[in-house]
Amino acid sequence: MARPLVVGNGRILVAFDNLLNMRDFYYPFVGQWNHIQGRRNRLGVWTDSGFAWTESPGWEHRLRYREGALVTEVHATHAGLKVALTINDAVDYHENVYLKRVTVRNLDDREREVRLFFTQNFSIDETPVGDTALFDPVLHVVYHYKKNRYLLANAMAGQTRFHQYATGLKRVGAIEGTFRDAEDGTLSGNPIAQGSVDSVIGLHLRLGPGRAETAYYWICCGRNYQEIRRLNAYVLRHDPCTLIEQTEAFWQSWLARADADCRGLRPRLVELYKTSLLLVRAHLDDHGAIIAACDSDIMGGTNKDHYCYVWPRDGAMIALALIRAGYAKLTRSFFGFCANVLTEGGYLLHKYNPDGTLGSSWHPLIRDGVVQLPIQEDETALVLIALYAYYAAERDLEFISDLHRSFIVPAADFMAGYIDEELNLPQESYDLWEERHGIFTFTAAAVYGGLSAAAAFARLFGDGMRAAGYEARAEQVKQGILERLWSPELNRFVRGLVFDPREGRYGPDQTLESSTAGVYLFGVLPPDDPRVAATMRAIEDGLLVQTAVSGIARYTGDRYFQRSQDVYNVPGNPWFICTLWLAQWYIAVAKAPDDLFRAQGLIEWAAGFALESGVLSEQLDPFSGGPLSVAPLVWSHSTYILALQELMSRQAAFRRRGTGISEAAATVPAGRPINPGTREG
């Protein structure tokens, strides 16, 4: 199940499913630790007509964000209970406090009582072992704790605090959890429980016919009792309504920096651009980590693992989008993170936890009896590319000088030395999709871009010898790409080279692969080079999903979450990233305003398949168009940011030249009807 709503502040990240359940609660790092782990913190409503959790049948939900803010705007109506809810969720922009505002409207024609129930289903530090949940009568709060993690829950309406509470066991034998205690509208009042525990608090509202009242709920996070006590007092002193409004104003002010020339673009495209920036920011930890996704439901479809890691590849591409959008300074801590985890050999490993420790991996140290580096070399290269983009935007020489010896030189020296001299290409590593081992076009193109960036940095610091060496190596890799990875027979770039032990040599992997777009993305060739154009048209022709959903697949025969084995019509599931790469290419080669029609259609396609809240998944079901794998995927949002930035920039350039957009190009249909093309056309 996707996470259509995410809120955070760089230390806390909270994610909800489409049934309004809180499913992920990360603290003290964004992406680490998840104190719910995909289970549920529920919201329930009791009236004299019955009881329903928001996940129960009978509710109609609408999930959105407040305009320009990392604050939710949720509407839920239950005809049977005759109640309507308006919910706003936020994480205080300054303090470690999650806040919820629930406005309850009585849809009945008589006065009655409505009771709200909030559950706390925490497993602190991702294990239920040794937790304690208790009611504190002095503070009138419920809190959970273990070691140096304290999570306090409180609720109020007007000046009245919550009326009921209960703590108890969960998932012990036949015991489901204390949340079941709420379903008759009355809680037991059990004051403490230890082990695998949960808790519930209940708040009573008295509503006249058609009348509404607002309740507030909050969770304070701290390292000890004193800290959560201070934070609870902070909420009571400043008023939770005021804190939500201040947080909304903060994010609206934060987005003001993203003010761009959006003339001619549909409001939906601009709205998704701003939402994408907010969602990207929510996945940035204040210590430098940029996690790939917070959606823990992926653990059900993989080896009990998730996407809450820092892949240097994803992080670099996300940082690049932030830099282009005017938020370059936000990326400084990410580059510092990468410098801190760089190995002595000068390369970055597969992925990392948000606290900087090494993440899980499936890249072995030995393969077919041969010792190897367990790396994706594109990850090291892409960080260098993004770092130079940061310097180009900010001219922040002092910051770069701090990283010159600690990151730039060792990373560039590694790439310059990790070359197959016979092939003039980088030595073997894993591909960007982390699935196969070999020498790949995307990786080689990223290494070219990384070495070119390193050469520019070397000249910046007067190191002419190093600059010349990096430039020579970059040119060598470029020649290898053109000589070994371009196929005149196929009239496109191949995915890469794979060693054939029977032949004792490398042979081409001719699989049609969307990531060969890297040849132009990282500057090996200009986008209008005939070889690039032929490759991109082959991608559009051969990887277009031939269903009503459409979109571009990663490569022919992609089996990750595969929905069809008819690879001619469905070469793989459509990915936002791959479809938007094609849009970026159309923008790059546009010579006149009308040439942007195709690119805008692809961007409209992406916006059309966003969730109602603006969340983009990793991939889509090719038949239903529903989200697959994780949602949101931050890389999808960063690619959307880049594509729309480039579209706005090219449109502005045409306006400066005095060339107008034709009526046809200016009336691109909104949303899903745009099909990226057909193989016949």
Side-chain angles (χ1 to χ4, degrees):
M1 186 179 291
R3 302 291 188 260
L5 296 171
V6 174
V7 292
N9 68 353
R11 298 173 301 281
I12 295 174
L13 188 148
V14 185
F16 298 85
D17 65 22
N18 60 1
L19 301 176
L20 314 189
N21 294 305
M22 183 189 293
R23 298 289 301 279
D24 303 295
F25 193 101
Y26 298 94
Y27 166 81
F29 297 96
V30 170
Q32 186 185 358
W33 302 83
N34 188 352
H35 304 293
I36 302 179
Q37 283 194 293
R39 295 187 185 274
R40 295 172 177 85
N41 275 14
R42 295 173 167 90
L43 170 61
V45 179
W46 177 92
T47 72
D48 54 8
S49 300
F51 178 91
W53 301 108
T54 58
E55 65 186 26
S56 305
W59 288 99
E60 293 183 6
H61 301 141
R62 185 183 180 206
L63 285 69
R64 306 274 300 182
Y65 281 98
R66 302 278 287 175
E67 184 177 355
L70 207 55
V71 177
T72 71
E73 176 80 6
V74 174
H75 298 277
T77 304
H78 195 293
L81 297 180
K82 296 184 179 180
V83 295
L85 309 178
T86 301
I87 303 171
N88 306 116
D89 302 280
V91 175
D92 187 87
Y93 73 93
H94 186 261
E95 298 284 0
N96 289 329
V97 179
Y98 158 77
L99 302 151
K100 179 187 286 287
R101 176 169 56 201
V102 184
T103 300
V104 185
R105 182 169 296 280
N106 177 17
L107 301 181
D108 209 337
D109 57 3
R110 59 190 174 89
E111 181 179 306
R112 59 193 182 135
E113 185 177 63
V114 177
R115 300 178 185 177
L116 299 178
F117 291 91
F118 305 90
T119 75
Q120 291 75 231
N121 183 14
F122 295 124
S123 294
I124 295 176
D125 284 0
E126 303 183 357
T127 172
V129 176
D131 286 6
T132 299
L134 61 91
F135 171 68
D136 182 332
V138 176
L139 296 184
H140 196 87
V141 300
V142 167
Y143 66 90
H144 293 225
Y145 75 90
K146 180 165 60 190
K147 299 178 182 176
N148 63 340
R149 299 278 190 270
Y150 282 68
L151 303 172
L152 176 152
N154 202 348
M156 65 185 295
Q159 298 302 310
T160 304
R161 306 279 280 280
F162 61 85
H163 299 81
Q164 303 184 61
Y165 67 86
T167 69
L169 298 178
K170 66 181 180 186
R171 302 193 297 276
V172 177
I175 300 173
E176 290 183 79
T178 312
F179 72 95
R180 290 297 185 195
D181 190 21
E183 293 176 349
D184 63 357
T186 303
L187 297 175
S188 69
N190 184 49
I192 192 165
Q194 162 269 332
S196 180
V197 297
D198 66 343
S199 64
V200 188
I201 56 178
L203 188 63
H204 302 179
L205 307 174
R206 194 78 192 173
L207 300 175
R211 304 293 293 178
E213 189 172 345
T214 299
Y216 295 92
Y217 168 80
W218 61 94
I219 299 171
C220 303
C221 306
R223 295 161 294 179
N224 50 49
Y225 176 77
Q226 292 77 14
E227 191 168 349
I228 57 170
R229 182 179 63 188
R230 178 188 67 80
L231 289 171
N232 184 61
Y234 164 80
V235 176
L236 293 171
R237 183 172 64 255
H238 292 281
D239 181 66
C241 180
T242 300
L243 295 178
I244 292 172
E245 290 173 353
Q246 289 176 346
T247 297
E248 181 177 352
F250 170 84
W251 288 117
Q252 290 170 343
S253 298
W254 183 86
L255 266 183
R257 199 183 318 170
D259 189 29
D261 190 347
C262 303
R263 282 178 288 173
L265 295 180
R266 296 185 185 279
R268 173 64 171 163
L269 300 188
V270 180
E271 180 185 2
L272 181 55
Y273 177 73
K274 293 180 178 180
T275 300
S276 293
L277 283 167
L278 290 167
L279 288 170
V280 166
R281 179 63 184 92
H283 289 77
L284 267 67
D285 183 83
D286 284 352
H287 300 89
I290 303 177
I291 65 168
C294 66
D295 180 357
S296 64
D297 271 6
I298 189 69
M299 291 194 292
T302 60
N303 300 332
K304 294 295 181 184
D305 212 343
H306 47 71
Y307 278 36
C308 293
Y309 294 106
V310 183
W311 274 268
R313 171 204 59 222
D314 294 52
M317 299 304 288
I318 294 161
L320 188 61
L322 286 169
I323 292 163
R324 297 271 175 83
Y327 295 89
K329 284 188 169 63
L330 266 181
T331 66
R332 287 164 54 108
S333 58
F334 168 71
F335 296 120
F337 180 100
C338 292
N340 288 334
V341 300
L342 191 72
T343 63
E344 292 181 358
Y347 50 84
L348 292 166
L349 291 168
H350 186 183
K351 53 190 171 80
Y352 300 88
N353 295 306
D355 65 358
T357 55
L358 187 62
S360 62
S361 181
W362 51 89
H363 296 339
L365 296 168
I366 186 169
R367 180 173 175 271
D368 298 329
V370 178
V371 175
Q372 65 175 17
L373 290 180
I375 65 169
Q376 300 158 222
E377 194 183 358
D378 62 271
E379 299 205 280
T380 304
L382 289 170
V383 175
L384 271 174
I385 292 171
L387 183 58
Y388 192 78
Y390 168 84
Y391 173 73
E394 294 294 309
R395 299 295 172 182
D396 188 352
L397 189 59
E398 291 184 1
F399 175 69
I400 295 299
S401 68
D402 291 339
L403 295 178
H404 187 235
R405 292 294 173 189
S406 64
F407 183 81
I408 296 169
V409 169
D413 284 351
F414 164 72
M415 291 191 300
Y418 198 63
I419 301 290
D420 186 308
E421 301 294 352
E422 181 180 344
L423 299 172
N424 291 330
L425 289 169
Q427 293 183 39
E428 289 184 305
S429 69
Y430 286 89
D431 71 336
L432 82 157
W433 309 126
E434 307 162 81
E435 296 176 337
R436 54 193 58 81
H437 195 258
I439 299 170
F440 301 101
T441 300
F442 181 90
T443 304
V447 168
Y448 169 85
L451 286 169
S452 299
F457 279 130
R459 294 207 180 279
L460 190 65
F461 289 98
D463 194 343
M465 185 175 296
R466 265 206 168 88
Y470 296 154
E471 287 168 347
R473 280 305 212 187
E475 186 59 31
Q476 182 180 355
V477 170
K478 178 177 179 177
Q479 291 307 309
I481 292 170
L482 300 181
E483 293 171 3
R484 303 279 185 173
L485 298 173
W486 167 256
S487 170
E489 294 77 22
L490 297 173
N491 194 35
R492 62 174 171 83
F493 286 99
V494 297
R495 175 154 71 186
L497 303 177
V498 178
F499 188 75
D500 185 341
R502 293 170 299 179
E503 298 288 334
R505 60 185 177 84
Y506 285 93
D509 179 344
Q510 298 183 344
T511 306
L512 184 58
E513 164 69 73
S514 64
S515 71
T516 51
V519 172
Y520 93 85
L521 286 171
F522 308 130
V524 178
L525 291 174
D528 58 356
D529 183 280
R531 290 161 292 190
V532 172
T535 299
M536 297 307 296
R537 295 194 186 284
I539 289 170
E540 184 172 17
D541 181 61
L543 295 181
L544 179 73
V545 174
Q546 295 290 325
T547 68
V549 173
S550 195
I552 301 296
R554 289 195 299 175
Y555 55 83
T556 305
D558 186 357
R559 297 178 65 184
Y560 189 47
F561 288 92
Q562 188 178 45
R563 288 295 186 264
S564 173
Q565 295 183 354
D566 176 11
V567 296
Y568 178 79
N569 289 304
V570 186
N573 299 329
W575 280 54
F576 286 101
I577 294 165
C578 307
T579 308
L580 291 167
W581 279 341
L582 183 62
Q584 288 179 272
W585 177 72
Y586 270 114
I587 295 165
V589 298
K591 305 297 184 186
D594 286 4
D595 296 338
L596 295 172
F597 180 80
R598 190 70 157 160
Q600 191 162 342
L602 291 159
I603 293 170
E604 290 272 7
W605 173 90
F609 280 101
L611 300 182
E612 180 187 24
S613 62
V615 160
L616 299 176
S617 60
E618 178 183 71
Q619 47 186 301
L620 298 171
D621 186 298
F623 302 105
S624 71
L628 286 178
S629 185
V630 294
L633 180 74
V634 189
W635 193 3
S636 294
H637 284 281
S638 68
T639 311
Y640 181 86
I641 292 167
L642 285 168
L644 204 70
Q645 271 284 334
E646 291 163 12
L647 177 64
M648 291 187 290
S649 178
R650 186 52 62 96
Q651 287 179 335
F654 287 140
R655 280 193 288 270
R656 286 194 297 271
R657 285 164 41 185
T659 52
I661 300 176
S662 74
E663 184 177 348
T667 55
V668 178
R672 299 185 184 187
I674 288 295
N675 188 299
T678 64
R679 292 187 190 157
E680 292 74 21

